[in-house]
């Protein structure tokens, strides 16, 4: 049997990632309702953006931390599921480094650090245009 060329394998993996992420996003009403957009994806990686709206701001005048976490979690989910497997998180932690404000465009970039069997370790970083807002993983 002929071996698959590295370029063909990479293109196939990218195609699987795009189809998997598109299918997951298509059924993800929460991410859609929050205005999230998948900007980029690939095997084990996803970049998702969300504009902070007035209805996302808490009593301190900053984006609610749960919504920042939701953005990181969505990027995490798209990256985890980019191999065509159905996976969910068993746990996650986040550190809030800077507040996000109304009008900020937050971008969460999730990257697979390692993957074996049913376990995957990913990290996500969120940033508004001006600085790193939070990190997860």
């Amino acid at each position: 049997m002929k071996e698959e060329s590295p370029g063909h394998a990479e293109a196939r993996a990218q195609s699987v990632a795009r189809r998997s992420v598109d299918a997951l996003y298509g059924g993800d009403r929460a991410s859609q309702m929050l205005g999230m957009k998948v900007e980029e994806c690939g095997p084990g990686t996803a970049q998702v953006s969300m504009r902070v709206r007035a209805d996302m701001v808490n009593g301190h005048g900053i984006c609610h931390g749960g919504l920042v976490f939701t953005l990181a979690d969505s990027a995490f989910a798209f990256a985890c599921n980019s191999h065509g497997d159905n996976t969910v998180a068993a746990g996650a932690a986040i550190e809030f480094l800077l507040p996000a404000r109304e009008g900020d465009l937050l971008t969460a970039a999730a990257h697979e650090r390692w993957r074996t069997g049913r376990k995957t370790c990913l990290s996500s970083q969120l940033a508004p245009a001006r600085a790193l807002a939070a990190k997860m993983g």
Side-chain angles (χ1 to χ4, degrees):
M1 185 191 307
K2 185 177 177 186
E3 255 186 64
E4 187 173 42
S5 71
H8 182 67
E10 187 175 303
R12 186 173 47 77
Q14 180 62 39
S15 177
V16 167
R18 175 47 65 191
R19 285 193 318 270
S20 299
V21 169
D22 287 349
L24 186 60
Y25 181 80
D28 187 344
R29 301 291 181 248
S31 293
Q32 292 174 28
M33 178 212 39
L34 292 170
M36 292 182 198
K37 294 183 172 109
V38 179
E39 303 292 348
E40 296 177 25
C41 71
T45 185
Q47 186 172 320
V48 181
S49 67
M50 178 182 76
R51 176 86 49 196
V52 179
R53 304 182 313 233
D55 63 344
M56 297 173 167
V57 174
N58 64 21
H60 297 290
I62 59 177
C63 185
H64 192 288
L67 297 173
V68 174
F69 186 94
T70 301
L71 175 61
D73 187 50
S74 289
F76 178 92
F78 296 132
C80 280
N81 286 276
S82 64
H83 298 285
D85 304 326
N86 290 324
T87 62
V88 295
I94 192 166
E95 293 179 53
F96 299 104
L97 305 174
L98 288 172
R101 306 207 180 273
E102 183 179 344
D104 282 350
L105 179 64
L106 299 179
T107 302
H111 301 283
E112 195 172 70
R113 293 161 80 183
W114 57 263
R115 180 176 188 254
T116 179
R118 293 177 40 112
K119 295 187 177 189
T120 303
C121 179
L122 284 104
S123 63
S124 295
Q125 292 193 337
L126 285 90
R130 65 188 188 306
L132 182 64
K135 66 180 183 173
M136 178 173 150

